[in-house]
Structure formats: C-alpha cells, structure tokens
Amino acid sequence: MSESTVLLDISEGIAQITLNHPKSRNALSLQMREELGAVVAQVRDDESVQAVLLTGASGAFCSGGDITSMLDTSQGGMAWRERIRRLHRWFPELVNLEKPVIAAVDGPAFGAGFSLALAADFILATPRTSFCAVFGRMGLVPDLGAMHLLPRIVGLQRAKELVFSARTVPAEEAKALGIVYNIVSEADLLAQARALAARFGNASTAALGMTKSIMNQAFQLDAHAMAEMEAYAQTVCRSTAYHQQAVERFKAKEPVRFDWDRRG
C-alpha cells in the first residue's frame, strides 16, 4: 500500500491537514486528491474540530497538478472531463466548510495549489511564498475553482491580469492584493497559523459556520435572498445553547466567552 500523501492531526480543536509528498513539492496527484476528499469529509463531520489548518510539508505548499499524470495521452476527452469533475465532489466542501480554514503557505502555491490556498478563509504566507495561476503557460484554463474564487478576492480586472499573464506573484504583492492575510517568518508559520486558529476556540461554531455559508454566496444572491438567509440563521443561532449562555453571562456581568482581542 502506498504511503499517505495527506496527513491529518486533530488536537485542541484544530485539525491540521498537511500535504505530504515533498518529492513533487506536494503536487496534487490523483492519490492526494482522493485522500484530501476523505480528510475534508472527516473534518466536516468531527464536532470536536473548531478550526482547520491547511499546509504543505518541506517548504512547499502545493506546486499544482501532477505533471507526470497529465502527460498521459491514453485517456480520452470524457475521461479528462471526469477527472476534473471528481475534484468538485470535495473541493466545494472545503470552500464552504462551516469552520474557519487557515492556509499556512510556504514556498510555491502554483496552479491548482493556488486554487487550494484560495479555498481558505485566511492565508498566512512567508516571505519566500509565491503564487501563480500557471495554467496559461501550458495552454490550459484555471481549474479547481480558481475562476470563481480569484475574482471575488482581487476583482475581475486584476484576476484576468493574473490569469492571462500566468506571472508569479510574490508574497508582498499578494498581501497588497488581498490574497494574503499576513506574512510571517518561515520559522513561525505553523505556530502563527495555529495561534490564529486557536483564537476561534471559544467562538460559536454554529454562528461562524452559518455566517461563512451566507457570506460565501454574497456575490451570487440579491439583497432580498441574503436578508431571508440572515433572518433564518439568526433565528437558529438564538436557539443555541451558546447564545443562551452568552445572554446569562451578560446578565451576570461576566466576561464573554469569545473575545478576539483578549485571545490575541
């Protein structure tokens, strides 16, 4: 049996998912894609998980698709179509996971690796991190949701420029574009990512999850539909034990459980 290319460690409410195929700079092989799908489903269903940390092993996040398998000319067009469609059986689960997702990115995040990073709610990068929508260099279109996610972060015109040029974007520029949340040193990357994830430890998973689910649809739905979803979500949140306890703490003049500034 081949060695696992995706590692999962769950501790203190944080699920750390590590892409682990250093020889290929953590390229998304067919095996890795299947294992990622299984891990995402596991994390989604684990109620002990309050936040997710996605990273890559050995100084690389993900170099993109597995070029070796892409060179296989024996598969017909429909087989390649199905290969891409299989990605979208689990990738939307990651994008819409109702828990905060932090990507800790060191080194290259190219092609599908760039797309994978964009699935996170927050991207922490190191000074040596670089991003690239490299598809155009191979005469291909962006995949793994990049054409949906990237314009929502940087705007349509800038997204077209990054995709059409297929140029490399260094960490500082990525931060200026709004892709990167913060830049930290290589030595501190995982510690900083875990600290960020831990700050959600006392938050309401239900409230954060529904907020994320609704906000992720903000560019597709009109104001009326968003208002209806807001009303439904607020009603659900008011019925949770978390909210009821928060009300009691307020009445008793006790500190709130979730205080972002204090936890920071």
Side-chain angles (χ1 to χ4, degrees):
M1 185 175 180
S2 57
E3 185 178 350
S4 176
T5 60
V6 178
L7 306 178
L8 175 63
D9 175 73
I10 299 175
S11 61
E12 300 179 332
I14 300 171
Q16 180 172 321
I17 302 172
T18 304
L19 310 182
N20 186 45
H21 197 255
K23 290 182 180 179
S24 67
R25 309 199 83 179
N26 304 320
L28 278 171
S29 64
L30 296 180
Q31 178 186 345
M32 183 180 287
R33 297 176 190 202
E34 294 297 320
E35 292 177 1
L36 265 173
V39 165
V40 169
Q42 181 178 342
V43 167
R44 176 199 65 205
D45 296 335
D46 190 332
E47 294 184 359
S48 73
V49 173
Q50 294 183 289
V52 176
L53 195 168
L54 178 64
T55 193
S58 301
F61 181 69
C62 176
S63 60
D66 183 6
I67 297 296
T68 301
S69 66
M70 291 172 65
L71 296 176
D72 181 7
T73 59
S74 64
Q75 298 187 55
M78 291 303 292
W80 277 99
R81 178 171 178 258
E82 179 59 21
R83 173 172 169 157
I84 297 298
R85 293 182 74 183
R86 289 179 69 180
L87 289 171
H88 292 283
R89 292 173 189 161
W90 60 265
F91 187 68
E93 289 278 3
L94 177 60
V95 172
N96 297 305
L97 192 67
E98 291 196 353
K99 300 170 184 183
V101 178
I102 295 99
V105 182
D106 185 25
F110 276 33
F114 188 8
S115 305
L116 192 62
L118 293 174
D121 301 302
F122 305 94
I123 298 176
L124 295 185
T126 68
R128 65 184 181 187
T129 294
S130 57
F131 302 89
C132 184
V134 72
F135 309 93
R137 299 182 189 180
M138 301 292 291
L140 298 172
V141 302
D143 58 23
L144 201 61
M147 288 192 280
H148 177 80
L149 295 171
L150 188 58
R152 284 159 172 76
I153 297 172
V154 302
L156 184 58
Q157 179 174 249
R158 183 61 70 186
K160 288 178 180 177
E161 186 266 325
L162 295 179
V163 169
F164 291 3
S165 68
R167 69 179 179 86
T168 301
V169 181
E172 287 289 349
E173 183 184 359
K175 184 179 180 184
L177 289 171
I179 295 170
V180 167
Y181 176 69
N182 204 4
I183 299 174
V184 300
S185 70
E186 292 92 342
D188 291 337
L189 177 61
L190 283 181
Q192 291 287 338
R194 291 193 69 87
L196 178 59
R199 292 177 77 173
F200 296 103
N202 286 338
S204 166
T205 302
L208 284 181
M210 284 189 284
T211 299
K212 177 175 175 177
S213 179
I214 295 171
M215 290 185 74
N216 277 3
Q217 301 179 67
F219 291 91
Q220 291 112 275
L221 300 179
D222 59 29
H224 175 74
M226 292 287 288
E228 287 297 309
M229 295 179 73
E230 172 191 303
Y232 167 77
Q234 196 71 299
T235 302
V236 172
C237 285
R238 283 179 60 84
S239 69
T240 63
Y242 187 101
H243 173 69
Q244 298 300 324
Q245 292 167 9
V247 170
E248 293 304 317
R249 293 176 76 91
F250 177 80
K251 290 179 179 178
K253 300 187 183 326
E254 296 176 353
V256 294
R257 286 178 59 194
F258 179 51
D259 187 331
W260 178 270
D261 295 323
R262 183 160 50 86
R263 289 181 70 87

